[in-house]
Amino acid sequence: MKRSKVSLGLAGCLLMQLTNTAPHAQGVDSLHTVPVVPVQAEGLQPLGESTDRASLFLPFDGQTGLAAFWSGSSFVVVADRAVPAMARVSGGTGVFAGLHVSVMDHATLVVLSLPAHPQLALTQHNGGWELAASAGGTKKSLAPEQGQGYIRFPMAQPGQVVAMPDPASGARLFVATSRQATGGIAQPMQGVGYSVKQSTEGAVVVADSEQIFVHSTPRGPVLQALSLHPVPIGQPLYPQADTPERGKDWQWLEPGHASSAALPPLPHPLPDDPTRRLALAHAAFLAGNAQQAEQLLVPTASHPSSGAQEQGEQFFRAVVALLAGSSGSASILADASWYAWPELHVWQGLYAMNTGQDSQITSVLLAQGARQLAQYPASVRDRIFPQLATYLARYGTESQRTALPELPDGSAYDLPRALLLARSGKTETARIALENLTASSNPVTASYAQVALVRLLRETDQIAPDMAVDVYGKLLRPTGPDQALSVGPRQEAQLGLALAYSENGQSRAALAGLDGLQSGAELPSDRLAEAYSQVLYRLVFGTLRGVSEARGTAAHSAEGLSGEDVAQMVAQALPKVRDGSAKAKLLAGYGRLLLSLGKAGEAQIRLDQAKQMQPDPLARSEIQDFLAQAALQQGHLADAQAATDQILLTALQPDLAARKAYNAARIAQARGETAKALALLAHDETDAGLDLRGKLYESDRQWTQAVQVVGRLASRSLPNEGPLTDSQKILVLRLANDAAAARDQATLHTLKDWLAGRSLGRERDELLKILLQTPGKLKASP
C-alpha cells in the first residue's frame, strides 16, 4: 500500500500510535482505520465493536489548557497557547486523515474532519494528551454549578478562555480550557442568550447574546451576562436594596458612620488587638485615608493572619487594598460570588478599572452602581466617584453614560463633565470647558485637560495629524519640571501620539510608541489592543494599495518602507491585537501582502489564521480564494483544490464565482488539463483571467488565439503615452512574440506605431526589432 505523506515537523510533535490486537489487520503507516457509526446529529455516538484502536498524541504540556468538541462534521481540539512546532504538521492517516492544524497568536487549533462522528476520548499523559477512538463507556464529566447571577464550570486547574467563531456555524464561542482532564460536558444545556455544547474536554459556550461572557477564574471558568439589563443566568440575584443604606456595601463598609470631623491621630504604639485595629481602619477609611486603613489592617506578630475572616471583613480589606493602590491584595473582588449582591457590582468594576481590564465589561459594572456610589458620604465618594465618572465619560456607551447621576459640584468633577460634553457631540462647549481646565490649579487636572483637548481637536478634524504629532510631542517633552505630565495623562498622551503618528504616515514611530505602553489603571487592555489594530490596519492596507499601483515595480508603503520592512513590523506587532473578526480582516490583508512579496508559505499560515477567526461565511470564502492562490504558488495542488472547493455563496457575489473559476483553471493548468482550464476561463475578462488564458494558448502553441487574448489585455493595460513600467514592457514584448509566432504583421505594426519611439530597454528593443521583421501571413489575424 502506498505510504501517505505526513509532515511531522519536530520529532514527536505529532506521534501516530496504535495498539493493535488483531494480528493480521491491515493499516497505513501503522495507523489503522477505525470503523465508525454514522450519526444524524452533532454529538458523541457509540463506536461499533472493533479490535483496532487508533490514537493521536498531542504534545500539549501540563501548563497548556485544552478543550475538545464537535463542530458539524469536524472534531476540534483547542489549546490555549500557541505551539509553533505544530505549524509544520499537515495531513494524517486512517481515521485521522483529515487532520489540519492552525497555530494562532494565542491558541492552537487541531481540526479533524470526521463526518461519521466516531466515539473519541482524550487521555492526559506526561507531556501531552492522547486522542483515541473509544468504545464508549462511563467517564467523569463536568457538573456546572449555578451561582447567583453566574454559572461556574468547576476545574481544579483551569486554563484560559479562547474566544472564537464556531468552525461550522460561525456562532460566537467561548472555549474554556483545562490543564487537567475533566471529562468535558456530558449533557448540553441551554439558557436565555446562550447554550453549552456537549464536549469531550473543557467547556464550550455558544453566546447568542452580546451580553454573554465567559472568563477564567482560579476555581473554574464563569459564565455571566453583563449588561445594564442582563438576561437571567444561574440563580436569581439578591434583591436590589431599596435605599443605599440597606445595601450590603453599606453594611460591610459602614459609610453611615462617616463623620465630617478630622481623623484623630493614630495612637502610638498601634494597638495589638485585631478588633480595635479593625475599628480604627474603618474610621480611617471613612475619613478618606485608605493608606492609613491599610496600615492598620497589617497582621501583627501576636495576631498573624489566619485567612478566616468573615465575608464582610474580607470585602472591607479588599476595598481598602484597592483604594490604597494594592490591587494584587484586592483580587478577591474579581470572584464571581460577590456578584450575588447588585450593590457590589460597582466594586467589581472599580477593581477591573484599576487593573486595566476590558473596558466593555468594566463600564457595565461601573454604570450599574454609579447612582449608588454617588450617595456615599463625600469623604469616601470624592475619593472614588470622579474616577468612575471620568472612566464612563471616556469609554462608556450612551446608555452607560446616561446611567450616571448628575455630577456633584466641585472641581474634581470638572474633567468628567467636559468629557461627557464631548461624547454627547457638544464639541464647541466641550472645547471651551477643556481650554479653561488647562489653567486649573490642580496640575493633574490641567494635564488631563491638555491631552483631552488635543484628542478632541484631532477627532473632530480641527487639527491635522502632523499638528497633533507636534502638540503631543511638546506635552511629553516639557520645558520645566512643573509642566511634566503625571502618569495618567502621560499614558493618554503617548497613546494619542502613537495614533497621530499612524495617521501621519509614520507607522514605525507609531508602533514604537505603542510598545512603550502597558495596560493598567490608566489604559484598558482592549483600548491598547485596538490602537495596535488601527496602526497595523492602516499600514497593511496602505501598503497593499501601493502594491496595486506599483504594477510590477517594488512596492513600498506611503512612508517609503519596503514591503519586506512592513511584513516584519506587522509580524512583530500582530500578537498585541485581540483575536476576532477585526483581526481576521487584518490577517487577510496581511496574507495578501505576503502573497505579493512571494512569501506564499507565510501567507498560507496567516490566511489560515484569518479563516479560523472569521465568522462571516462570505468573508471566509474570500479568504479561501487567497488560500488557494498561496497553495498554487507553492505547487500544493491538493490544498489549492480543497480551498477552492470551500469557496461558497458565489451566487451572492459574482466576482467571487469568477475567482473560484480562475483558481480551478490554474489547478487544471498545473495538472496539464489545458482544455478544462480554457473552458473554465471562457467568460473571464479580468486581467488575471486574460493573462492565464494567454499563457494557456501560448503553452499549447495556439498563437492566433493567444494574440487575441493578450491583445485585449494590452489594450487595457498599456498607456498611450509616457514611460512604461517594467511589467508593461514585458507585456509589449510578450504580445510581439505571440504575433510573430502567429505571423500577424497587422498586430506587429500596430505595436510599433503605438510605441512611437518609446524604449523597452536596449536588449528588448533589439529583440523587438527582430520580431518586427517576421514575414506575415497572406491574411492577418483579426
Side-chain angles (χ1 to χ4, degrees):
M1 184 175 292
K2 183 178 179 181
R3 182 176 295 270
S4 298
K5 294 182 179 179
V6 182
S7 173
L8 293 178
L10 301 178
C13 179
L14 189 64
L15 304 178
M16 298 294 183
Q17 300 177 335
L18 174 69
T19 302
N20 179 22
T21 56
H24 303 295
Q26 299 297 315
V28 179
D29 284 350
S30 300
L31 182 66
H32 293 67
T33 302
V34 178
V36 295
V37 178
V39 296
Q40 301 300 317
E42 178 175 311
L44 303 178
Q45 301 294 327
L47 184 69
E49 291 187 3
S50 171
T51 57
D52 291 344
R53 180 175 177 271
S55 68
L56 187 67
F57 187 80
L58 303 173
F60 300 126
D61 61 25
Q63 299 304 309
T64 303
L66 206 73
F69 59 97
W70 285 98
S71 173
S73 61
S74 297
F75 186 75
V76 183
V77 180
V78 178
D80 67 354
R81 69 178 182 90
V83 182
M86 295 288 286
R88 303 171 188 172
V89 177
S90 63
T93 55
V95 72
F96 299 130
L99 173 71
H100 179 79
V101 178
S102 299
V103 179
M104 322 295 280
D105 286 327
H106 309 292
T108 301
L109 274 59
V110 179
V111 181
L112 293 161
S113 179
L114 298 169
H117 281 210
Q119 178 79 41
L120 298 175
L122 273 166
T123 306
Q124 191 173 22
H125 302 285
N126 288 334
W129 296 68
E130 180 189 27
L131 176 63
S134 167
T138 59
K139 64 173 185 175
K140 68 174 183 178
S141 61
L142 284 171
E145 298 174 350
Q146 298 211 13
Q148 290 173 292
Y150 67 92
I151 294 174
R152 190 192 306 275
F153 302 94
M155 296 180 184
Q157 295 187 35
Q160 300 301 312
V161 176
V162 178
M164 59 179 283
D166 187 281
S169 67
R172 178 168 164 251
L173 297 185
F174 288 100
V175 181
T177 65
S178 175
R179 289 178 288 152
Q180 187 180 79
T182 65
I185 299 292
Q187 295 296 326
M189 57 186 291
Q190 192 161 11
V192 178
Y194 75 94
S195 59
V196 181
K197 291 170 68 76
Q198 186 180 13
S199 62
T200 304
E201 188 54 64
V204 183
V205 175
V206 183
D208 299 318
S209 169
E210 289 296 321
Q211 61 178 261
I212 298 296
F213 294 92
V214 179
H215 58 95
S216 183
T217 76
R219 292 190 289 155
V222 167
L223 162 66
Q224 284 182 290
L226 295 172
S227 169
L228 291 179
H229 306 286
V231 298
I233 299 287
Q235 300 174 15
L237 301 179
Y238 290 120
Q240 176 79 48
D242 52 358
T243 63
E245 293 79 5
R246 294 178 181 270
K248 205 67 175 177
D249 54 336
W250 283 62
Q251 177 184 334
W252 287 341
L253 300 179
E254 303 178 0
H257 297 166
S259 169
S260 58
L263 179 67
L266 290 179
H268 293 285
L270 291 176
D272 194 50
D273 176 31
T275 303
R276 175 63 179 150
R277 290 172 69 101
L278 181 62
L280 286 171
H282 270 285
F285 167 75
L286 295 174
N289 194 330
Q291 284 74 20
Q292 191 176 90
E294 184 181 42
Q295 180 185 354
L296 285 159
L297 292 174
V298 173
T300 63
S302 57
H303 293 90
S305 175
S306 65
Q309 298 100 352
E310 292 186 356
Q311 199 172 29
E313 185 180 340
Q314 288 180 336
F315 181 75
F316 173 67
R317 286 176 175 272
V319 166
V320 167
L322 179 66
L323 297 187
S326 305
S327 297
S329 300
S331 59
I332 191 175
L333 291 173
D335 193 284
S337 60
W338 300 110
Y339 197 76
W341 293 279
E343 52 267 26
L344 302 188
H345 295 181
V346 68
W347 285 101
Q348 292 192 299
L350 289 167
Y351 173 77
M353 179 183 76
N354 279 277
T355 51
Q357 296 181 31
D358 190 299
S359 64
Q360 182 182 358
I361 296 174
T362 302
S363 57
V364 170
L365 294 168
L366 294 177
Q368 285 176 335
R371 294 182 181 276
Q372 158 203 338
L373 198 65
Q375 297 183 62
Y376 275 38
S379 57
V380 179
R381 180 199 66 198
D382 292 343
R383 173 74 174 76
I384 309 165
F385 194 55
Q387 298 176 53
L388 179 151
T390 301
Y391 192 95
L392 288 180
R394 283 182 181 143
Y395 308 121
T397 63
E398 183 178 358
S399 62
Q400 291 161 1
R401 297 195 304 272
T402 304
L404 274 170
E406 183 177 353
L407 299 182
D409 294 333
S411 59
Y413 299 95
D414 288 341
L415 179 63
R417 263 191 285 268
L419 295 175
L420 286 169
L421 288 170
R423 290 292 305 279
S424 62
K426 299 176 181 177
T427 304
E428 186 59 20
T429 308
R431 182 188 64 79
I432 294 171
L434 289 171
E435 284 181 348
N436 291 335
L437 283 176
T438 61
S440 172
S441 59
N442 184 322
V444 176
T445 299
S447 296
Y448 271 122
Q450 288 175 326
V451 176
L453 179 59
V454 181
R455 179 178 177 180
L456 174 64
L457 294 176
R458 178 67 205 111
E459 288 179 344
T460 55
D461 208 25
Q462 296 184 56
I463 59 173
D466 59 342
M467 184 178 292
V469 167
D470 183 56
V471 177
Y472 278 127
K474 289 178 179 177
L475 289 176
L476 289 166
R477 295 187 297 273
T479 57
D482 57 328
Q483 296 178 331
L485 297 179
S486 57
V487 175
R490 175 169 287 275
Q491 289 269 83
E492 288 272 309
Q494 287 177 322
L495 180 64
L497 177 61
L499 294 176
Y501 270 136
S502 176
E503 293 171 338
N504 200 42
Q506 297 171 265
S507 301
R508 194 187 295 278
L511 290 172
L514 291 178
D515 285 343
L517 294 172
Q518 295 290 331
S519 60
E522 300 293 342
L523 183 58
S525 58
D526 58 313
R527 298 294 165 160
L528 181 55
E530 173 60 23
Y532 272 104
S533 180
Q534 290 179 36
V535 173
L536 293 181
Y537 192 91
R538 185 174 284 107
L539 177 59
V540 166
F541 287 96
T543 307
L544 276 176
R545 284 193 295 273
V547 170
S548 176
E549 295 165 0
R551 292 185 176 274
T553 60
H556 290 75
S557 71
E559 59 192 289
L561 295 170
S562 69
E564 295 282 351
D565 288 338
V566 170
Q568 185 177 8
M569 289 167 57
V570 174
Q572 291 174 347
L574 267 172
K576 306 291 182 65
V577 180
R578 286 195 172 185
D579 293 348
S581 58
K583 186 171 182 177
K585 188 172 182 178
L586 174 60
L587 282 166
Y590 183 43
R592 289 167 54 196
L593 176 60
L594 291 169
L595 275 176
S596 73
L597 296 172
K599 299 176 179 291
E602 294 178 42
Q604 191 166 12
I605 293 172
R606 294 303 187 175
L607 290 166
D608 182 59
Q609 292 176 344
K611 180 188 71 173
Q612 302 299 346
M613 290 185 202
Q614 180 56 258
D616 180 72
L618 189 57
R620 285 171 69 94
S621 286
E622 291 189 343
I623 294 169
Q624 294 287 5
D625 170 43
F626 294 112
L627 273 169
Q629 294 180 37
L632 281 164
Q633 281 192 23
Q634 299 172 86
H636 299 163
L637 299 187
D639 289 346
Q641 186 67 66
T644 300
D645 291 343
Q646 292 179 57
I647 297 176
L648 308 173
L649 305 175
T650 52
L652 300 179
Q653 194 177 53
D655 177 61
L656 193 57
R659 284 149 60 188
K660 181 175 183 177
Y662 173 80
N663 290 337
R666 288 187 64 190
I667 295 168
Q669 176 199 27
R671 290 173 173 165
E673 300 170 347
T674 302
K676 179 180 179 181
L678 287 169
L680 287 164
L681 294 169
H683 303 290
D684 190 337
E685 289 296 316
T686 65
D687 287 359
L690 291 174
D691 176 64
L692 182 55
R693 285 168 69 188
K695 289 177 180 176
L696 289 165
Y697 283 129
E698 289 162 351
S699 66
D700 210 36
R701 305 181 70 82
Q702 299 183 52
W703 301 114
T704 300
Q705 292 87 342
V707 170
Q708 292 175 343
V709 172
V710 178
R712 288 208 299 278
L713 179 61
S715 67
R716 70 172 64 161
S717 303
L718 301 178
N720 290 324
E721 56 185 23
L724 303 177
T725 66
D726 195 58
S727 62
Q728 290 168 345
K729 293 174 183 177
I730 293 171
L731 180 58
V732 169
L733 200 60
R734 176 184 176 187
L735 179 56
N737 186 73
D738 291 347
R743 301 176 67 188
D744 185 344
Q745 282 289 316
T747 298
L748 287 169
H749 285 300
T750 299
L751 265 178
K752 180 180 179 181
D753 294 340
W754 171 83
L755 278 171
R758 287 181 289 180
S759 174
L760 303 180
R762 187 174 60 83
E763 293 182 2
R764 289 172 182 159
D765 284 343
E766 288 296 324
L767 183 54
L768 180 63
K769 183 178 180 180
I770 295 171
L771 293 173
L772 289 172
Q773 296 171 357
T774 301
K777 294 181 180 179
L778 293 176
K779 183 179 180 181
S781 64

